[in-house]
């Protein structure tokens, strides 16, 4: 594949055995995985085209252990890649030969549930769904729900500021977190926020969330939990064109209704998902919307009737309201397993661009042209309410030329998203994958300001190296570090 | 305050030029919009001020995409009037500090609202100003124009500077343009009121309602002394503490949800149903902080866990006379205290240290705000990060220096 990975620091790689021995004196020895087979399990994430065997892997069990590991790496100039469950689609958790992977998977306890104040304090190795499961019996849930929620961790969600199907109503990760315990690269432990709704001073929590593991390692989080609605029910709306479906979404929102989710699938996606999940999706339509609303059964019936009425203005070829909880579950199963279902028929490259909804029809036409031109098929699945597209470019990973064409098509699609007023990534993060495209969306001063903030948190640029910024920006970063030191030295403080 | 000149750049480029010159000369500047929150924070000494007031105008509004872009100096009132015409609103419902700070109502700019992360009662359900900010353009202390975020609902491209700048009170950068999420205004608003509840019981009732599936969008409690200052005659004349809950939705849902909430809360006493106009008036008063007006006694804004709210007030009351009004289901306490040399700061900080949360001295005489920490003092690690962050944006320290923390 085409993306360059940074050259590993040979001096560090040569010292591997010494480093492993020293790490094993800092934490219980079984915390450190150093054998090749063990490390192999951590060589990639969900962007599987890229693989690198890490220097070593640490699976600490406490904030204190994380702190000791980071301080050691800081003092010895060893890079660190923090890892949740390794479900990143952008290569955000890709290791490096000269970097220690620190995984949080063994830190997955629920520390405190406070139903009256509607918060849960957890270790960040807990899975996203694990938080909801922990409070479900009390009638509560944790709102952000990425498709990978069964596997992905809160740590990873914080790193990428993950969204999900229901964020139209409930917001993304940053809107649902109140407090964090963060270990900085030099081992210092800081607590930001708490169980109250706004934190003191600068919004450091807002900066750390979505920093892609480059500012520190978050070991504990206090999240908002919400009372589950009385009920929820999805409906299916099929249309003869993607444009009609897009216009219907605009009309629903224009009528003052914010459904808890509006999901879109085009024909190729519908067919694959239906074959997999038997959700009863109409397979003869060009575009399908899943619209879900919440409330009492009467409120749900009223709202779905209004939505149906609006949809009728766009000549739907299918309108079906779920009649049972089994049917609702099947409808969502089809959507949430879409990536897996498509993975059964081909390798795919999943994009994550966002566009203004108004441009939907035009953008979908141009996306299929971009892929056609390269002889590639594309399936579209996305969160329609917020314009977050997920074109899945299908290719054969064993065919290097095809893989390269898929990457090119992906880059062109993301450029298109920026061109129409959108952005490169809505919820997957920049990671490795979109690193070199950052200059399409940002100018030099925009990127310099971001890099200066990176330097605030991680002056030596040791955390999650080679991601987020174009590689040739790294020398500039070192200069920024020296500049910040100078500025701090000369300041009145 | 020293007499000083005010610069009002008409666009981002002029703003950048002004800041670049100040940066080169090391000239500290006071940064403001319309100045409705000018008396909040530590008093600062600057020779000149820069106001965003002349950079105004809504540059993008797409109701069906729930997004608006406005230049920083656009009056909040203009933003809200434009939204109202299309049946939309700012869901975070920013409070108006103007009148309680001795100024006029409705003066705030949209840039100031985000720079100070100002939210109101609906924050408890819908999120704060910072949660609705989608994109910013601004100028840093070097005089460089930069942007972050964008105009789409979801965006994780690069670091989240929108959150980083919200609530930074003009100390990191001067916003020139903001893009934010807007939401449909509800068809109907309903309000339920309970009377004469002690604080702790009132907060228990509010938390019970918030933990129900009925999407309560406002949860406040006013002690009797502050309820007596309400403009709403029906509520004021009761002479009792007032506890109020709001539900907003389509009319039929509001009726249903009010019914279910009344069942849920019947143990707390007789529940009054505020009629249509009165309901709106009451929440407008909450947004306008009406019960804190007409006095210059110091006011603390304390953010804590909802159930800790009444404990904070009880503890404070053992040190000083304290009148409290709780928002956010008890998690936000507005406490009016007697005018002393430190406005009770030592006691407030001690109480907060024990119960968790943070406190800001919103209203006090300048000499008091100069003598005590106005914003919550930070732990050593956060203080160090904050100072580094300030330097990363504003190395010469020209933007509102010392407004939040001394030497920062």
């Amino acid at each position: 594949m085409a993306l360059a990975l940074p050259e590993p620091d040979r001096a560090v790689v040569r010292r591997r055995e010494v480093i492993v021995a020293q790490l094993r004196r800092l934490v219980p020895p079984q915390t450190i995985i150093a054998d090749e087979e063990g490390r192999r399990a951590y060589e990639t994430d969900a962007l599987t085209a890229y693989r690198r065997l890490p220097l070593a892997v640490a699976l600490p069990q406490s904030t204190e252990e994380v702190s000791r590991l980071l301080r050691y790496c800081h003092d010895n100039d060893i890079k660190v890649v923090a890892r949740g469950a390794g479900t990143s689609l952008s290569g955000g958790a890709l290791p490096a030969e000269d970097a220690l992977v620190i995984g949080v998977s063994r830190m997955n306890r629920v520390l405190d549930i406070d139903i009256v104040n509607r918060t849960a304090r957890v270790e960040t190795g807990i899975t996203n769904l694990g938080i909801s499961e922990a409070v479900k019996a009390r009638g509560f849930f944790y709102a952000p729900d990425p498709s990978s929620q069964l596997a992905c961790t809160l740590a990873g969600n914080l790193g990428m500021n993950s969204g999900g199907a229901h964020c139209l109503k409930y917001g993304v990760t940053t809107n649902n977190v109140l407090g964090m315990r963060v270990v900085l690269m030099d081992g210092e432990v800081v607590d930001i926020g708490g169980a109250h709704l706004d934190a003191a001073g600068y919004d450091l929590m807002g900066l750390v969330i979505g920093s892609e593991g480059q500012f520190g390692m978050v070991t504990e989080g206090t999240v908002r939990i919400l009372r589950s609605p009385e009920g929820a029910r999805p409906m299916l709306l099929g249309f003869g064109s993607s444009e009609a479906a897009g216009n219907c979404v605009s009309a629903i929102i224009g009528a003052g209704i914010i459904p808890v989710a509006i999901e879109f699938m085009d024909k190729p996606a519908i067919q694959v998902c239906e074959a997999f999940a038997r959700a009863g999706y109409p397979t003869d339509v060009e575009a399908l919307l899943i619209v879900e609303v919440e409330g009492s059964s009467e409120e749900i019936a009223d709202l779905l009737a209004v939505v149906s009425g609006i949809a009728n203005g766009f000549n739907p070829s299918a309108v079906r309201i779920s009649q049972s909880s089994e049917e609702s579950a099947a409808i969502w199963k089809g959507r949430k397993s879409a990536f897996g279902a498509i993975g059964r028929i081909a390798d795919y490259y999943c994009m994550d661009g966002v566009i203004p909804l108004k441009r939907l029809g035009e953008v979908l036409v141009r996306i299929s042209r971009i892929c056609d031109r390269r002889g590639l098929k594309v399936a579209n699945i996305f969160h329609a309410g917020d314009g977050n597209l997920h074109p899945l470019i299908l290719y054969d990973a064993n065919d290097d030329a095809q893989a390269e064409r898929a990457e090119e098509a992906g880059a062109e699609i993301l450029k298109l998203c920026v061109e129409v007023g959108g952005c490169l990534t809505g919820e997957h993060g920049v990671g490795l994958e979109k690193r070199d495209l950052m200059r399409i969306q940002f100018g030099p001063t925009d990127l310099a300001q971001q890099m200066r903030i990176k330097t605030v948190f991680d002056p030596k640029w040791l955390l999650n190296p080679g991601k987020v910024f174009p590689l040739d920006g790294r020398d500039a970063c070192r200069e920024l570090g020296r500049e910040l030191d100078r500025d701090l030295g000369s300041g009145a403080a | 305050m020293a007499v000083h000149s005010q610069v009002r750049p008409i666009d981002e480029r002029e703003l950048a030029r002004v800041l670049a010159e100040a940066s080169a000369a090391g000239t500290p500047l006071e940064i403001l919009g319309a100045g409705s929150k000018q008396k909040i924070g530590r008093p600062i000494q600057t020779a000149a001020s820069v106001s965003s007031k002349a950079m105004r105008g809504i540059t993008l509004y797409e109701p069906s995409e729930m997004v608006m872009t406005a230049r920083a100096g656009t009056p909040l009132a203009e933003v809200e009037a434009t939204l109202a015409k299309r049946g939309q609103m700012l869901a975070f419902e920013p409070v108006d500090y103007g009148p309680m700070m001795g100024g006029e109502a409705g003066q705030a700019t949209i840039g100031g609202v985000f720079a100070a992360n100002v939210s109101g009662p609906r924050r408890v359900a819908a999120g704060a100003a910072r949660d609705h900010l989608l994109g910013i353009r601004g100028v840093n202390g070097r005089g460089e124009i930069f942007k972050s975020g964008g105009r789409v609902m979801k965006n994780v491209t690069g670091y989240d500077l929108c959150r980083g700048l919200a609530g930074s009170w003009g100390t990191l950068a001067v916003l020139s343009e903001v893009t934010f999420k807007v939401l449909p205004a509800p068809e109907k608003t309903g309000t339920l009121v309970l009377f004469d509840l002690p604080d702790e019981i009132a907060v228990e009732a509010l938390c019970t309602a918030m933990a129900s599936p009925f999407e309560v969008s406002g949860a406040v409690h006013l002690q009797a002394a502050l309820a007596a200052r309400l403009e709403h005659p029906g509520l004021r004349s009761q002479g009792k503490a007032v506890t109020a809950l709001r539900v907003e939705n389509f009319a039929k849902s509001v009726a249903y949800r009010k019914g279910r909430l009344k069942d849920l809360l019947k143990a707390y006493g007789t529940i009054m149903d505020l009629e249509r106009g009165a309901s709106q008036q009451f929440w407008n008063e909450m947004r306008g902080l009406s019960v804190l007006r007409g006095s210059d006694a110091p006011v603390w804004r304390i953010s804590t866990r909802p159930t800790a709210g009444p404990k904070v007030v009880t503890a404070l009351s053992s040190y000083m006379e304290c009148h409290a009004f709780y928002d956010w289901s008890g998690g936000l306490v507005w406490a009016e205290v007697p005018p002393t040399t430190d406005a009770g700061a030592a006691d407030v900080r001690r109480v907060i240290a024990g119960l968790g949360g943070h406190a800001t001295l919103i209203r006090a005489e300048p000499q008091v705000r100069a003598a005590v920490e106005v914003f919550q003092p930070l732990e050593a690690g956060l203080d160090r990060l904050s100072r580094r962050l300030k330097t990363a944006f504003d190395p010469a320290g020209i933007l509102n220096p010392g407004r939040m923390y001394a030497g920062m």
Side-chain angles (χ1 to χ4, degrees):
Chain A
M1 301 291 262
L3 288 163
L5 297 173
E7 273 302 305
D9 183 336
R10 295 287 158 207
V12 169
V13 176
R14 269 198 303 275
R15 272 163 47 220
R16 206 177 81 80
E17 281 178 25
V18 178
I19 291 168
V20 166
Q22 288 176 338
L23 288 171
R24 284 187 170 141
R25 281 198 287 274
L26 289 175
V27 290
Q30 70 275 16
T31 303
I32 307 295
I33 298 169
D35 61 288
E36 189 178 327
E37 202 181 344
R39 285 185 286 146
R40 188 69 68 193
Y42 295 85
E43 69 177 355
T44 188
D45 53 17
L47 187 70
T48 50
Y50 294 87
R51 286 163 202 273
R52 283 293 180 274
L53 208 54
L55 187 71
V57 177
L59 300 176
Q61 287 187 282
S62 67
T63 299
E64 170 59 29
E65 287 178 11
V66 172
S67 166
R68 267 184 254 153
L69 290 166
L70 284 178
R71 185 175 306 130
Y72 171 84
C73 289
H74 176 264
D75 293 348
N76 292 281
D77 290 320
I78 297 164
K79 300 180 183 87
V80 171
V81 176
R83 185 179 176 102
T87 56
S88 173
L89 287 158
S90 61
L94 181 79
E97 292 106 316
D98 58 349
L100 174 68
V101 166
I102 304 183
V104 291
S105 57
R106 289 164 78 179
M107 298 176 61
N108 58 4
R109 289 177 304 162
V110 174
L111 300 172
D112 182 40
I113 293 172
D114 184 345
I115 290 293
V116 179
N117 290 307
R118 293 168 294 124
T119 59
R121 194 161 62 87
V122 297
E123 291 180 328
T124 56
I126 192 170
T127 62
N128 172 288
L129 198 59
I131 305 174
S132 286
E133 292 292 338
V135 295
K136 193 176 167 186
R138 311 287 296 270
F140 284 74
F141 70 109
Y142 173 61
D145 62 337
S147 293
S148 56
Q149 67 184 150
L150 201 61
C152 67
T153 60
L154 178 63
N157 293 176
L158 292 166
M160 293 306 189
N161 191 14
S162 304
H166 291 79
C167 60
L168 184 60
K169 179 170 176 185
Y170 295 116
V172 296
T173 302
T174 195
N175 311 120
N176 287 281
V177 177
L178 301 177
M180 302 193 305
R181 177 160 289 176
V182 187
V183 188
L184 301 175
M185 186 63 216
D186 63 3
E188 182 170 8
V189 179
V190 295
D191 285 322
I192 311 179
H196 42 285
L197 280 182
D198 54 0
Y202 291 141
D203 196 343
L204 299 175
M205 191 152 51
L207 283 171
V208 172
I209 296 173
S211 64
E212 307 208 3
Q214 296 194 320
F215 286 7
M217 279 192 68
V218 186
T219 55
E220 287 179 21
T222 301
V223 301
R224 288 193 333 143
I225 51 171
L226 303 178
R227 177 65 190 262
S228 305
E230 285 180 274
R233 187 176 299 177
M235 75 183 297
L236 298 173
L237 295 168
F239 296 91
S241 74
S242 295
E243 208 145 14
N247 290 339
C248 181
V249 172
S250 297
I252 292 169
I253 290 169
I257 298 172
I258 306 293
V260 65
I262 312 182
E263 297 289 295
F264 174 107
M265 292 189 204
D266 68 2
K267 194 167 198 168
I270 299 165
Q271 288 174 339
V272 176
C273 292
E274 177 59 21
F276 179 79
R278 300 277 163 221
Y281 298 156
T283 49
D284 55 347
V285 299
E286 288 301 316
L288 179 69
L289 296 178
I290 303 173
V291 180
E292 181 164 87
V293 299
E294 293 178 338
S296 68
S297 45
E298 202 183 335
E299 287 174 317
I300 288 172
D302 288 350
L303 271 178
L304 289 180
V306 176
V307 172
S308 301
I310 293 168
N312 280 335
F314 300 91
N315 293 323
S317 42
V319 177
R320 217 185 79 219
I321 293 174
S322 164
Q323 298 300 323
S324 67
S325 54
E326 292 76 27
E327 196 178 340
S328 303
I331 287 172
W332 277 113
K333 185 182 170 220
R335 167 60 188 90
K336 289 212 171 182
S337 56
F339 294 179
I342 288 171
R344 294 198 316 168
I345 59 159
D347 297 298
Y348 66 82
Y349 186 41
C350 175
M351 313 309 299
D352 179 42
V354 188
I355 58 159
L357 202 55
K358 239 170 62 170
R359 309 289 295 265
L360 179 69
E362 166 200 351
V363 168
L364 290 180
V365 169
R366 287 174 68 184
I367 286 177
S368 64
R369 265 194 231 136
I370 288 168
C371 294
D372 276 353
R373 255 203 320 277
R374 293 177 174 83
L376 298 166
K377 289 208 168 3
V378 61
N380 280 290
I381 295 175
F382 68 94
H383 311 306
D386 46 35
N388 189 182
L389 306 183
H390 292 311
L392 301 171
I393 305 168
L394 310 185
Y395 72 101
D396 176 359
N398 295 319
D399 179 342
D400 285 348
Q402 223 184 85
E404 202 157 311
R405 288 206 303 278
E407 248 187 27
E408 278 169 27
E412 204 174 321
I413 289 171
L414 294 184
K415 284 177 194 167
L416 169 63
C417 291
V418 175
E419 179 201 314
V420 300
C423 67
L424 298 173
T425 173
E427 56 188 6
H428 295 173
V430 176
L432 170 76
E433 182 209 10
K434 293 174 280 284
R435 178 192 74 188
D436 293 343
L437 301 174
M438 284 288 273
R439 289 200 181 95
I440 295 168
Q441 190 170 331
F442 295 112
T445 54
D446 307 333
L447 288 176
Q449 191 57 61
Q450 291 186 34
M451 289 194 255
R452 286 191 184 106
I453 298 171
K454 159 76 172 169
T455 302
V456 165
F457 286 86
D458 176 21
K460 291 177 159 186
W461 283 67
L462 294 172
L463 282 165
N464 214 6
K467 321 272 173 75
V468 182
F469 300 109
L471 271 194
D472 57 6
R474 282 182 312 161
D475 297 335
C477 312
R478 298 214 176 82
E479 177 49 36
L480 289 174
R482 284 191 286 269
E483 171 198 270
L484 184 69
D485 286 341
R486 263 198 320 271
D487 290 339
L488 281 165
S490 65
Chain B
M1 194 170 289
V3 180
H4 63 248
S5 62
Q6 185 171 93
V7 187
R8 293 181 181 177
I10 55 158
D11 60 21
E12 194 175 77
R13 284 175 59 184
E14 190 186 347
L15 173 65
R17 190 176 49 72
V18 170
L19 296 195
E21 279 170 14
S23 174
T27 312
L29 299 170
E30 180 180 27
I31 307 302
L32 20 92
S36 67
K37 295 176 276 295
Q38 195 174 15
K39 293 179 191 159
I40 303 176
R42 302 176 70 253
I44 58 175
Q45 301 293 325
T46 61
S49 66
V50 174
S51 162
S52 64
K53 226 177 157 176
M55 298 188 288
R56 56 185 288 177
I58 293 165
T59 54
L60 176 131
Y61 178 29
E62 289 286 351
S64 70
E65 291 174 15
M66 302 188 289
V67 62
M68 179 180 270
T69 303
R71 296 198 184 96
T74 310
L76 172 64
E78 183 183 331
V79 166
E80 296 201 299
T82 306
L83 290 172
K85 275 185 212 150
R86 301 297 297 267
Q88 296 191 322
M89 63 175 185
L90 294 176
F92 56 92
E93 206 182 16
V95 295
D96 187 352
Y97 280 110
M100 74 160 279
M101 300 304 294
E104 285 173 54
Q107 297 301 299
T109 61
I110 192 69
V113 164
F114 285 105
N117 189 24
V118 184
S119 312
R122 206 182 288 106
R123 189 270 174 265
V124 72
R130 55 90 85 179
D131 294 301
H132 293 80
L133 191 55
L134 300 173
I136 56 102
R137 293 185 61 88
V139 179
N140 64 20
R142 291 179 164 78
E144 295 166 349
I145 297 170
F146 69 97
K147 64 174 183 295
S148 182
R151 55 148 296 189
V152 284
M153 282 297 136
K154 265 162 97 184
N155 191 341
V156 296
T157 321
Y159 301 146
D160 191 354
L161 271 57
C162 290
R163 252 49 57 200
L165 291 172
S168 64
W169 291 85
T171 61
L172 298 179
V174 183
L175 297 175
S176 55
E177 187 181 87
V178 286
T179 300
F180 42 93
K181 181 178 176 177
V182 301
L183 281 173
E187 182 181 288
K188 169 117 199 201
T189 298
T191 305
L192 300 177
V193 184
L194 289 150
F195 292 100
D196 213 20
L197 296 179
D199 294 2
E200 204 145 327
I201 305 297
V203 167
E204 184 188 290
L206 295 175
C207 288
T208 302
M210 289 304 304
S212 79
F214 307 118
E215 299 184 316
V216 171
S217 70
V220 301
H221 171 70
L222 298 103
Q223 289 184 335
L226 292 184
R229 297 187 199 163
L230 282 167
E231 288 155 20
H232 189 286
L235 295 176
R236 186 182 59 225
S237 62
Q238 302 262 346
K240 293 171 180 164
V242 165
T243 307
L245 291 161
R246 175 172 64 181
V247 276
E248 299 170 298
N249 213 307
F250 293 103
K252 211 169 146 189
S253 278
V254 169
Y256 164 73
R257 291 175 181 206
K258 279 200 304 192
R260 295 293 305 269
L261 283 166
K262 280 181 184 168
D263 281 349
L264 190 65
L265 300 173
K266 58 177 182 254
Y268 294 96
T270 311
I271 300 174
M272 181 174 143
D273 207 333
L274 279 194
E275 69 287 5
R276 198 187 188 97
S279 176
Q280 202 55 55
Q281 186 193 339
F282 176 79
W283 293 103
N284 285 344
E285 280 199 58
M286 295 299 98
R287 263 196 86 176
L289 301 170
S290 70
V291 298
L292 300 173
R293 292 178 190 176
S295 156
D296 51 13
V299 170
W300 287 90
R301 179 186 181 280
I302 300 164
S303 185
T304 187
R305 282 172 297 132
T307 50
K311 295 190 178 87
V312 167
V313 172
T314 303
L316 286 181
S317 300
S318 68
Y319 298 113
M320 63 193 96
E321 193 187 356
C322 167
H323 297 310
F325 142 40
Y326 302 80
D327 200 344
W328 302 354
S329 188
L332 182 69
V333 180
W334 297 92
E336 193 180 274
V337 301
T340 56
T341 47
D342 79 337
D347 298 322
V348 170
R349 300 289 177 215
R350 188 179 328 110
V351 166
I352 292 292
L355 289 164
H358 66 93
T360 311
L361 178 57
I362 295 289
R363 183 171 71 197
E365 293 299 321
Q367 63 273 21
V368 178
R369 287 182 284 121
V372 305
E373 291 274 17
V374 170
F375 288 85
Q376 182 74 22
L378 300 172
E379 299 290 327
L382 296 182
D383 184 80
R384 190 170 58 88
L385 282 175
S386 300
R387 284 174 196 280
R388 291 173 64 85
L389 187 67
K390 165 76 174 172
T391 305
F393 276 96
D394 177 24
I398 59 163
L399 304 177
N400 269 348
R403 175 100 185 251
M404 292 179 79
Y405 297 100
M408 193 159 113

